[in-house]
Amino acid sequence: MSIDIFRMVPSLRKGTMTNFSKYAAILLSGSIITTAGACSSHTSPTHLVPRRVSIAEETVYAELRSARGDQAMVNVPQEVLDSLVAAKEAELEQLRTELGRPIYFDDNSHALSEEARNTLLKKVAILRANPDVRLRLIGHTAERGSSEYNVTLGLRRAQTVQAFLVIQGIEEERLSILSYGMMRADPKADPAVNRRVDVIISSGAVVNTPQ
């Protein structure tokens, strides 16, 4: 069974060539690419129920178009398409996980460690590739000191993360900040786990892989 991916999604975003295209080329090189005229006249028409196309599917279609050019009709075997979509979804999930990884701080500090800087640089690459994504940076602290002190410390941690991203070229309006101080600290957890800034995607979606 084959499917006309460009008829299914007539208005595709222009894709960007990535390493994923190499995987697509490998799969496509072993599959039979046909045109509509190659369909058997004995094949009964299939009535498909419209469904929402996932981000991974739409990205795959765009990258296939980028790799193969603007062809009016491109039929790809369903099993190949399924493999490509599954691989893309795994890739995008990994990027979302990396973008949402918390930033940890030393005790009573809002300075970034070398590890924190490296983690943030990975986020910068993802944000540059996905300009529609906006983040909420939420500062947290361990249960030590007054509530007022910890709200301030949490805010400074969030501001530090925001400032680093802005210096790297990410627009400040894409980065909102908030502090919970010690209000959401887990008393059973290691205090180091509570000394962090959570990174939450507030709007937009990760659809592109950094170059």
Side-chain angles (χ1 to χ4, degrees):
M1 176 184 177
S2 61
I3 182 169
D4 182 355
I5 60 176
F6 297 121
R7 266 195 182 171
M8 193 169 78
V9 186
S11 56
L12 296 174
R13 290 197 299 267
K14 183 176 180 182
T16 304
M17 287 295 289
T18 67
N19 289 334
F20 176 79
S21 297
K22 297 179 182 178
Y23 178 64
I26 292 172
L27 283 179
L28 290 172
S29 64
S31 49
I32 302 175
I33 308 302
T34 63
T35 62
C39 295
S40 170
S41 59
H42 299 290
T43 303
S44 299
T46 302
H47 300 286
L48 299 177
V49 177
R51 65 176 179 81
R52 181 169 182 161
V53 177
S54 70
I55 291 174
E57 287 176 302
E58 188 176 349
T59 306
V60 165
Y61 305 151
E63 293 197 8
L64 284 175
R65 168 166 281 181
S66 178
R68 298 182 60 80
D70 273 341
Q71 302 180 52
M73 298 292 294
V74 178
N75 292 315
V76 180
Q78 185 65 53
E79 60 271 18
V80 174
L81 184 59
D82 289 344
S83 295
L84 291 173
V85 171
K88 176 55 67 175
E89 181 54 50
E91 180 180 76
L92 294 179
E93 181 59 33
Q94 184 176 9
L95 292 174
R96 288 190 289 265
T97 298
E98 187 62 51
L99 188 58
R101 199 178 302 280
I103 303 299
Y104 294 99
F105 293 82
D106 291 335
D107 186 28
N108 197 34
S109 172
H110 61 274
L112 293 172
S113 65
E114 189 65 28
E115 181 179 359
R117 290 173 181 272
N118 290 335
T119 299
L120 284 170
L121 286 175
K122 294 178 182 178
K123 299 182 192 300
V124 168
I126 298 171
L127 289 169
R128 285 174 178 167
N130 297 274
D132 291 335
V133 171
R134 292 173 178 262
L135 301 179
R136 180 173 295 112
L137 309 172
I138 306 176
H140 299 273
T141 69
E143 292 183 308
R144 176 183 297 180
S146 68
S147 175
E148 181 180 358
Y149 170 81
N150 282 289
V151 167
T152 300
L153 178 58
L155 184 61
R156 287 177 178 171
R157 287 172 174 170
Q159 289 171 331
T160 297
V161 171
Q162 182 191 51
F164 182 91
L165 294 174
V166 170
I167 288 173
Q168 297 300 319
I170 306 303
E171 298 85 348
E172 186 174 347
E173 58 266 24
R174 296 172 62 189
L175 309 166
S176 63
I177 58 175
L178 178 67
S179 174
Y180 284 125
M182 63 179 180
M183 288 185 286
R184 297 194 176 183
D186 184 352
K188 297 180 180 179
D190 186 321
V193 174
N194 293 318
R195 300 193 297 263
R196 71 184 190 278
V197 167
D198 284 336
V199 181
I200 310 297
I201 298 177
S202 57
S203 66
V206 176
V207 298
N208 297 317
T209 304
Q211 298 299 302

